[in-house]
């Protein structure tokens, strides 16, 4: 199925800001303070997870409709295995660099914990995803979700998408109530029982974040079944929900600014903090994600047809942004770019740890170089389409393909 270019552009956009937000410098980076993450409780990871679910539903629902459940299931699980290979590959590369680069072990200690390349006992929790090194935590949740994706898509194809949505919501509620702790706490104590072991370490509560992925699965499956006419769902004359989404976003802007800069009074934060636990994808994150997702979809689909000239300009601006060739290039190769971004982040953190505190100008230049390097896997994988059989690349590409 032909990819939707705008979706690729959005994934590329999320990858760019994911890299910027993951770069860690002593004294911080000014670019991190001015992007959308500090204006709303919506982050790149949420958009990335949702779009991955959306495309999974669109692609494999069509495959199941054409070739049956078993073929679609096998394709999905094959994709999950590919994700696992990439997750293990980047881990092994970083662990190898830990042995080669002087001082890397000390600099990356907090990120890698006790994990060592030639220590099988420390590798086993990583291989089983029970211990996830810093910034190596998105692929594991994808893999788990992909294992359940076939049955979810199949249920959607059988008209039971509402039951799937209700089940996903109930699982999300279980995460907010901490019901998973009945399993994770004993598991953590068992893992931490051995000397020099850190126990269970994961960044995302799978029960909470699954609602983002499977919402995408449902939308993608229904799209492939042609049960959703998006032009009618997002009607330029039906603006009530769009204005409601905007109101929700504006309500949370000052709250996000206060929490981002430590300005919220402690007595308020004590209560508010219980509702905005990122790891659990708490109610604050769910509300913000729903509002931003609906508002953005309305602008992209209904906005260009709006009678309001300002709205049309905003919609056309967003479409132009997500139509940038560089963003769509990154989005077409999102898996490889994500894995590559992890390596860049580790190397930048190593460089920062080996030098005196850098100036903001130097950090900005390093960030620019990192963003340029981010495109390399995509350029390599698209080399024939981009460059063809040019005199410069032709023979070399043919010899190394």
């Amino acid at each position: 199925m032909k990819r939707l270019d705008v979706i690729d552009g959005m994934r590329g956009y999320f990858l760019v800001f994911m890299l910027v937000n993951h770069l860690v410098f002593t004294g911080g980076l000014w670019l991190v303070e001015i992007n959308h993450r500090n204006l709303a409780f919506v982050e790149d990871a949420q958009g990335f997870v949702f779009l991955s679910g959306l495309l999974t539903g669109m692609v494999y629902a069509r495959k199941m409709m054409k070739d049956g459940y078993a073929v679609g299931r096998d394709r999905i699980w094959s994709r999950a295995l590919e994700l696992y290979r990439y997750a293990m590959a980047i881990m092994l590369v970083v662990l190898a660099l830990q042995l080669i680069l002087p001082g890397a072990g000390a600099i990356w200690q907090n990120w890698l914990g006790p994990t060592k390349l030639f220590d099988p006992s420390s590798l086993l929790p990583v291989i089983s995803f029970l211990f996830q090194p810093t910034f190596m935590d998105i692929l594991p949740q994808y893999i788990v979700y992909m294992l359940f994706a076939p049955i979810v898509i199949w249920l959607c194809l059988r008209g039971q998408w509402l039951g799937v949505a209700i089940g996903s919501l109930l699982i999300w509620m279980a995460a907010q109530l901490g019901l998973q702790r009945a399993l994770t706490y004993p598991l953590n104590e068992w893992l931490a029982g051995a000397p020099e072991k850190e126990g269970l370490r994961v960044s995302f509560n799978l029960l909470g974040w699954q609602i983002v992925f499977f919402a995408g699965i449902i939308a993608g499956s229904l799209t492939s079944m042609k049960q959703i006419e998006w032009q009618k769902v997002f009607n330029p004359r039906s603006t009530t929900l769009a204005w409601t989404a905007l109101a929700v976003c504006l309500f949370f802007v000052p709250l996000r600014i206060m929490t981002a800069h430590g300005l919220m009074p402690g007595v308020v934060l004590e209560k508010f903090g219980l509702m905005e636990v990122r790891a659990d994808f708490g109610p604050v994150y769910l509300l913000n994600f729903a509002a931003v997702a609906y508002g953005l979809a309305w602008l992209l689909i209904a906005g260009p047809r709006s009678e309001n000239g300002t709205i049309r300009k905003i919609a056309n601006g967003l479409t132009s942004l997500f139509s940038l060739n560089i963003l769509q290039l990154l989005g077409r190769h999102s898996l490889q770019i994500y894995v590559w971004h992890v390596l860049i982040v580790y190397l930048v953190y190593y460089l920062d740890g080996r030098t005196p505190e850098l100036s903001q100008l130097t950090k900005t230049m390093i960030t620019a170089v990192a963003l340029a390097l981010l495109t390399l896997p995509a350029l390599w994988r698209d080399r024939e389409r981009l460059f063809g059989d040019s005199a410069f690349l032709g023979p070399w590409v043919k010899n190394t393909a």
Side-chain angles (χ1 to χ4, degrees):
M1 186 172 73
K2 180 177 174 57
R3 285 179 177 271
L4 298 178
D5 291 338
V6 171
I7 292 180
D8 280 334
M10 293 176 70
R11 292 206 294 179
Y13 173 88
F14 293 138
L15 285 165
V16 167
F17 278 95
M18 192 179 294
L19 175 62
V20 172
N21 290 325
H22 286 173
L23 293 177
V24 178
F25 293 99
T26 302
L29 174 65
W30 70 277
L31 287 170
V32 175
E33 302 301 325
I34 63 172
N35 66 60
H36 59 266
R37 188 187 70 167
N38 285 344
L39 296 176
F41 293 93
V42 177
E43 301 176 356
D44 310 294
Q46 299 160 27
F48 201 68
V49 170
F50 175 78
L51 291 179
S52 295
L54 178 68
L55 287 174
T56 298
M58 292 173 66
V59 171
Y60 295 107
R62 176 167 292 190
K63 175 59 65 176
M64 284 187 185
M65 287 189 291
K66 179 181 179 181
D67 300 320
Y69 171 77
V71 173
R73 178 202 60 202
D74 292 345
R75 290 287 183 89
I76 294 173
W77 286 354
S78 176
R79 178 63 170 173
L81 180 60
E82 181 185 14
L83 293 175
Y84 185 81
R85 288 197 295 265
Y86 273 97
M88 292 301 101
I90 187 58
M91 180 201 69
L92 293 176
V93 168
V94 171
L95 291 178
L97 290 174
Q98 183 186 36
L99 295 176
I100 297 171
L101 298 177
I107 294 173
W108 293 339
Q109 174 63 38
N110 290 335
W111 288 11
L112 295 176
T115 311
K116 305 296 180 184
L117 184 58
F118 297 111
D119 181 4
S121 65
S122 71
L123 288 176
L124 186 59
V126 177
I127 292 172
S128 58
F129 295 149
L130 298 177
F131 182 92
Q132 296 171 11
T134 301
F135 302 131
M136 300 186 193
D137 43 22
I138 288 184
L139 289 183
Q141 69 165 322
Y142 277 172
I143 293 167
V144 174
Y145 297 156
M146 292 291 274
L147 295 178
F148 293 95
I151 187 62
V152 171
I153 294 174
W154 185 246
L155 288 172
C156 290
L157 292 178
R158 294 174 64 86
Q160 299 178 29
W161 65 269
L162 183 58
V164 171
I166 294 172
S168 179
L169 180 62
L170 292 176
I171 294 172
W172 175 83
M173 290 172 58
Q176 308 316 304
L177 297 173
L179 301 186
Q180 75 284 349
R181 295 186 177 188
L183 174 64
T184 58
Y185 270 48
L187 181 60
N188 178 68
E189 292 180 2
W190 176 67
L191 289 172
E196 299 182 359
K197 303 300 180 184
E198 291 195 17
L200 185 68
R201 189 172 96 171
V202 296
S203 298
F204 299 98
N205 183 337
L206 295 177
L207 301 185
W209 278 76
Q210 55 77 30
I211 197 169
V212 181
F213 185 84
F214 289 113
I217 287 275
I218 293 171
S221 299
L222 294 179
T223 299
S224 285
M225 296 166 63
K226 301 187 184 305
Q227 291 194 9
I228 297 182
E229 294 186 42
W230 293 109
Q231 297 289 333
K232 292 183 178 180
V233 172
F234 296 102
N235 190 318
R237 296 186 178 181
S238 300
T239 60
T240 301
L241 287 178
W243 287 115
T244 302
L246 177 61
V248 171
C249 293
L250 292 177
F251 173 81
F252 278 104
V253 166
L255 299 177
R256 181 64 187 114
I257 292 174
M258 285 191 287
T259 57
H261 299 283
L263 301 176
M264 182 172 284
V267 67
V268 178
L269 185 61
E270 182 179 355
K271 175 67 174 179
F272 186 81
L274 298 176
M275 306 290 287
E276 60 105 19
V277 180
R278 178 181 182 271
D280 294 335
F281 200 67
V284 169
Y285 281 94
L286 181 60
L287 277 172
N288 276 262
F289 173 75
V292 171
Y294 184 90
L296 188 59
W298 191 92
L299 283 171
L300 289 173
I301 299 173
R305 297 175 287 145
S306 174
E307 296 177 356
N308 187 306
T310 301
I311 291 178
R312 287 200 306 273
K313 289 180 180 179
I314 295 173
N316 292 333
L318 285 172
T319 301
S320 298
L321 172 63
F322 299 133
S323 297
L324 290 175
N325 290 334
I326 185 62
L327 295 183
Q328 293 184 0
L329 175 66
L330 294 174
R332 284 197 298 272
H333 306 282
S334 58
L335 172 58
Q336 293 77 19
I337 297 298
Y338 172 79
V339 172
W340 179 241
H341 118 279
V342 173
L343 180 59
I344 292 174
V345 168
Y346 270 78
L347 291 176
V348 169
Y349 187 48
Y350 173 77
L351 174 64
D352 183 73
R354 296 283 293 179
T355 58
E357 183 171 345
L358 303 171
S359 67
Q360 286 295 336
L361 176 59
T362 302
K363 295 175 189 176
T364 304
M365 293 175 63
I366 292 174
T367 302
V369 172
L371 289 171
L373 293 174
L374 189 66
T375 64
L376 292 182
L379 291 173
W380 171 254
R381 290 173 59 83
D382 258 14
R383 60 194 183 277
E384 291 187 7
R385 188 175 69 87
L386 293 172
F387 304 110
D389 292 331
S390 67
F392 176 70
L393 288 175
W396 181 65
V397 166
K398 291 180 178 179
N399 291 333
T400 57

